[in-house]
Amino acid sequence: MTTTTPGTAQVELAIGGMTCASCAARIEKKLNRMDGVEATVNYATEKAKVTFDADIDVADLIATVEATGYTAAEPAPPRSETPGAPDGPSDEERADEELRPLKQRLITAVALAVPVIAMAMVPALQIEYWQWLSLTLAAPVVVYAAWPFHRAAWTNARHGAATMDTLISVGTIAAFLWSLWALFFGTAGTPGMTHPFEFTIARTDGAGNIYLEAAAGVTAFILAGRYFEARSKRKAGAALKALMQLGAKEVTVLRGGREVTVPTAELQVGDRFLVRPGEKIATDGTVVEGSSAVDASMLTGESVPVEVSVGDSVTGATLNAGGRLVVEATRVGADTQLARMAKLVEDAQNGKAAAQRLADRISAVFVPIVIALALGTLGFWLGTGQGLTAAFTAAVAVLIIACPCALGLATPTALMVGTGRGAQLGILIKGPEVLETTRKVDTIVLDKTGTVTTGRMTLLKVHTAGGGGGVGEMDVLRLAGALEHASEHPIAQAVATGAAAKVGTLPTPEDFANIPGLGVQGVVDGHAVLVGREKLLEEWAMALPADLKAAKDTAEKAGRTAIAVAWDGEARAVLEVADAVKETSPEAIRRLRALGLTPILLTGDNKAVAEAVAAEVGIDEVIAEVMPQDKVDVVKRLQAEGRSVAMVGDGVNDAAALAQADLGLAMGTGTDAAIEAGDLTLVRGDLRAAADAIRLSRKTLGTIRSNLFWAFAYNVAALPLAAAGLLNPMIAGAAMAFSSVFVVGNSLRLRGFQAADK
């Protein structure tokens, strides 16, 4: 249970006994009738997300659900991972255990229903007492295999409600009881009685017929549909389960100079733990000893390992691919990035889009309408003199064909698969309402620093005096890099890092001195070296030659920082340092344009810097020199122009703009404030993921829409056929079960979604 706003709390209840969307709608209605309670019940995930006043007890919520005829419980705590503790059943084993009763009933139904259907369909198999053999085989199917439908129908009836189980139960019992009457009190029990079975859409009289094949066949078909739905729903949630299981189970903690292995759940903030090569990093933290390459592909989808050293942050569940690391834990438990990712995915899967709310409302009133329609069909055909059997056949077909199971599964299954696949690709979709927005957005505003650019100062170019005459680039980098390596200034560190990458090991300077506001000076390999502003060289009576002066002016006009390098009394080079554009940003802009979006660069930097970056990545419209608090106003202005605005950012100063935008995309490498404000989180920190996120969201929305269309179209098309007496009850049951499997299968196609760069 979590606290949301002051005076309120939130709990997620596991709901048992639901068999259709109508069940979910009824539980939701009952909970929302309680004062101070706001609940959302999801049929696919079998969970209820409840926000309630703090003075309400969770036990009262559970009692309300149980009074409605279902079970409710708070989710069980995670299994202990303590070494030596007895292993409990795995998630897979528990899921199989839950499916076993349904599987047993399905096997029974299929084994007994097949011969019943065969005898009814093939006159050659209708031996002298075939109808009594059919009764013997069909009775266990209707009583045992269909028992969950009857039990749910009775529970609902006691509470004055009707669900799709009511339709199934009434339909199969009616067919069975009619057959019993025909066998014992009619002419159907006469030895040698035969009747043909036509697998066509046509009106049937049914005189002298028994409907045991309909009762048994409908039960078998619907059980098969439910079984495969349950298996499919389990597969649809597999991505979230995999995400939850990424983390390390045990960790080696350094305590009192000793290495102690403990369960990861026992880690505390501030603990220092050891990560050997090949081990997973147990939790989010900061490297305090060692350096290594970290493979974060399982968490972010990024295939290139990231080099880390002392002071760098690392994320739990990523793999140490290189050397030995000692990490200080900064976040544990539910605060880690992995746990927050899993929570975001689960919240999204538990949510409901507007279309699903509509489907739930329809389901809640659909069942009583169908029962009334079935009774009306029965009365109509009796009134027109078609005979009791023909009228009964049409009424039973109406009851069976109307089950809107597919309607209840249309949205949640697509959401589960879509959000789960997104999590695997490093794209976190916060909620289903986000999907609608992705379809409408036409403008995407991009923060510059950390989004389009790396957010780190980088050495970009080296200009040597006289075009290099007598002065080599490697000499410049070795001497300047050695001196800057001794400084903690971000620009100095950028030079040192760039130099080390090209030169290798840098020499150690002597007589190092930092000149505040100007630069640094010292002796490297016997050379007196100056690195800093042009003014620093002027103080030592050194001037930049014309070519270096021109290079400096050009760099500064482009918004870059120009650093002068001199040694032994002569200016030798100019270094260009700037926040470098990410290599993937130009490709990302092309992909965003291909999705019909107009990119706009938004930054607080000066216009020259912004326009240089925009030109490099292919953005035409630039809004520069914007104060952090004014970013919201920029988004509002664009919205006032009639645009639907998406915003991509990563900093605290972007959070308000992300919240104001119609669609907020937060870079997962950014701040918590930005991530919380965003609708989509891009874990990889790669702008190409923004295009992938919008593509995936639009594809998920398209799948939901196609699911809803076919679910509605199926009922609209089939009900008139059934009411007209043109649909055999068994065919109706098969078609109804198939529609649900079709919807789930259509949703599972989202599992094949691929990021464009894969």
Side-chain angles (χ1 to χ4, degrees):
M1 187 171 69
T2 58
T3 300
T4 52
T5 57
T8 67
Q10 190 176 86
V11 69
E12 196 173 73
L13 300 177
I15 305 296
M18 290 195 299
T19 55
C20 61
S22 294
C23 301
R26 195 155 65 84
I27 297 170
E28 190 174 293
K29 187 176 181 181
K30 289 283 187 181
L31 286 171
N32 285 325
R33 281 181 177 173
M34 298 176 66
D35 291 334
V37 173
E38 185 177 331
T40 301
V41 181
N42 190 294
Y43 166 51
T45 57
E46 297 181 339
K47 290 180 180 178
K49 189 174 180 180
V50 189
T51 303
F52 55 98
D53 291 345
D55 57 350
I56 297 175
D57 196 341
V58 175
D60 295 333
L61 300 174
I62 293 174
T64 298
V65 175
E66 291 175 343
T68 312
Y70 303 89
T71 63
E74 290 192 69
R79 292 184 295 123
S80 173
E81 300 288 352
T82 305
D87 291 333
S90 66
D91 290 340
E92 192 73 19
E93 290 170 341
R94 284 198 294 269
D96 288 339
E97 190 66 35
E98 290 171 5
L99 280 177
R100 188 168 291 122
L102 181 57
K103 186 177 181 180
Q104 290 172 344
R105 293 182 193 276
L106 172 60
I107 292 172
T108 301
V110 171
L112 298 179
V114 167
V116 173
I117 295 168
M119 285 187 287
M121 290 176 64
V122 184
L125 298 177
Q126 295 173 5
I127 58 178
E128 189 171 6
Y129 290 102
W130 73 274
Q131 67 272 48
W132 297 102
L133 178 59
S134 292
L135 176 63
T136 304
L137 295 173
V141 178
V142 175
V143 176
Y144 165 71
W147 177 247
F149 307 136
H150 306 322
R151 181 179 58 205
W154 172 244
T155 300
N156 293 326
R158 282 170 42 220
H159 292 88
T163 67
M164 281 159 287
D165 289 299
T166 307
L167 297 181
I168 298 166
S169 179
V170 169
T172 54
I173 288 175
F176 186 71
L177 292 179
W178 173 269
S179 300
L180 284 179
W181 181 87
L183 286 169
F184 286 101
F185 302 104
T187 60
T190 305
M193 185 277 291
T194 62
H195 67 71
F197 183 93
E198 296 180 357
F199 204 74
T200 58
I201 295 178
R203 189 171 301 163
T204 56
D205 181 290
N209 288 358
I210 55 176
Y211 290 94
L212 294 171
E213 78 280 3
V218 164
T219 300
F221 278 124
I222 292 174
L223 280 173
R226 293 228 171 147
Y227 176 72
F228 289 116
E229 283 170 19
R231 281 180 58 109
S232 298
K233 284 194 290 181
R234 193 177 73 183
K235 286 181 183 177
L240 177 58
K241 290 187 180 73
L243 193 64
M244 299 286 281
Q245 293 167 0
L246 279 179
K249 302 297 184 290
E250 296 178 359
V251 58
T252 302
V253 183
L254 302 178
R255 288 179 179 165
R258 294 187 304 112
E259 298 180 2
V260 182
T261 301
V262 300
T264 302
E266 294 182 9
L267 266 181
Q268 302 291 323
V269 173
D271 280 350
R272 294 194 172 191
F273 60 91
L274 176 65
V275 189
R276 299 180 181 88
E279 291 183 343
K280 285 183 179 178
I281 296 172
T283 193
D284 298 357
T286 302
V287 177
V288 294
E289 184 180 319
S291 62
S292 180
V294 173
D295 180 359
S297 59
M298 74 288 289
L299 194 64
T300 67
E302 186 59 60
S303 58
V304 180
V306 178
E307 297 290 336
V308 297
S309 57
V310 175
D312 289 336
S313 296
V314 290
T315 304
T318 54
L319 185 69
N320 179 16
R324 177 182 183 275
L325 293 175
V326 175
V327 179
E328 182 174 311
T330 55
R331 288 176 175 167
V332 297
D335 293 330
T336 64
Q337 184 175 349
L338 177 65
R340 285 158 53 213
M341 283 174 63
K343 187 70 173 70
L344 282 172
V345 175
E346 192 167 15
D347 286 347
Q349 292 183 346
N350 279 338
K352 291 184 181 180
Q356 178 61 22
R357 295 191 186 98
L358 173 63
D360 285 349
R361 286 198 298 271
I362 292 172
S363 296
V365 300
F366 194 72
V367 175
I369 290 175
V370 167
I371 291 176
L373 181 59
L375 293 173
T377 299
L378 181 67
F380 173 79
W381 288 116
L382 286 174
T384 56
Q386 294 295 319
L388 182 59
T389 52
F392 172 78
T393 300
V396 170
V398 168
L399 290 172
I400 293 167
I401 201 70
C403 296
C405 296
L407 199 61
L409 290 167
T411 295
T413 52
L415 266 179
M416 288 175 70
V417 183
T419 54
R421 182 59 183 147
Q424 290 177 327
L425 296 173
I427 300 165
L428 305 183
I429 303 172
K430 271 196 177 178
E433 61 282 352
V434 172
L435 303 178
E436 280 286 347
T437 309
T438 60
R439 183 177 60 87
K440 300 173 184 175
V441 291
D442 52 33
T443 302
I444 185 161
V445 176
L446 305 166
D447 172 57
K448 181 184 76 69
T449 307
T451 302
V452 176
T453 64
T454 62
R456 301 185 307 275
M457 299 302 284
T458 305
L459 177 62
L460 299 180
K461 287 184 181 179
V462 178
H463 302 275
T464 56
V471 179
E473 181 178 322
M474 299 302 284
D475 291 331
V476 173
L477 290 174
R478 186 169 56 83
L479 297 177
L483 204 56
E484 293 283 50
H485 187 64
S487 171
E488 295 182 355
H489 193 282
I491 293 178
Q493 287 299 305
V495 173
T497 301
K502 290 189 176 183
V503 175
T505 304
L506 298 171
T508 303
E510 302 172 18
D511 297 329
F512 171 84
N514 180 45
I515 314 299
L518 293 178
V520 291
Q521 65 185 44
V523 177
V524 181
D525 289 348
H527 300 284
V529 183
L530 298 175
V531 182
R533 294 176 181 268
E534 184 181 5
K535 188 176 180 181
L536 176 63
L537 273 65
E538 290 173 350
E539 289 188 357
W540 287 82
M542 285 182 269
L544 289 176
D547 56 345
L548 291 185
K549 181 71 172 176
K552 171 182 173 293
D553 293 342
T554 301
E556 290 179 342
K557 284 179 183 176
R560 297 174 177 177
T561 300
I563 303 167
V565 182
W567 68 82
D568 296 342
E570 188 176 344
R572 309 278 183 166
V574 166
L575 309 178
E576 286 189 33
V577 175
D579 180 7
V581 170
K582 293 179 181 177
E583 292 182 0
T584 57
S585 290
E587 174 63 20
I589 299 303
R590 285 193 292 273
R591 292 182 188 176
L592 291 170
R593 286 189 185 278
L595 291 170
L597 303 175
T598 301
I600 297 175
L601 189 66
L602 177 66
T603 180
D605 280 350
N606 67 65
K607 196 168 185 179
V609 173
E611 288 181 343
V613 170
E616 189 172 345
V617 299
I619 296 177
D620 300 325
E621 191 172 347
V622 176
I623 303 175
E625 300 176 13
V626 178
M627 297 296 289
Q629 61 270 26
D630 295 332
K631 289 187 176 182
V632 177
D633 296 330
V634 171
V635 173
K636 286 181 178 177
R637 176 169 59 78
L638 292 170
Q639 289 170 329
E641 293 173 2
R643 303 197 200 190
S644 182
V645 181
M647 166 83 186
V648 187
D650 72 331
V652 173
N653 60 349
D654 299 322
L658 287 168
Q660 173 62 36
D662 299 291
L663 178 69
L665 295 94
M667 305 297 277
T669 51
T671 64
D672 292 349
I675 292 171
E676 289 300 319
D679 300 308
L680 291 165
T681 300
L682 313 176
V683 178
R684 299 205 305 265
D686 181 344
L687 191 55
R688 290 178 298 180
D692 289 333
I694 292 173
R695 272 200 312 122
L696 175 61
S697 297
R698 287 180 176 179
K699 194 171 182 63
T700 304
L701 179 63
T703 301
I704 289 172
R705 288 174 173 272
S706 63
N707 282 351
L708 287 172
F709 170 78
W710 286 112
F712 276 115
Y714 164 80
N715 282 301
V716 169
L719 272 175
L721 285 175
L726 299 175
L727 210 55
N728 183 287
M730 192 179 69
I731 303 173
M736 190 279 293
F738 172 76
S739 70
S740 294
V741 175
F742 169 81
V743 161
V744 176
N746 189 41
S747 299
L748 286 173
R749 291 190 306 116
L750 288 167
R751 294 170 72 191
F753 178 89
Q754 293 293 330
D757 55 316
K758 298 298 179 187

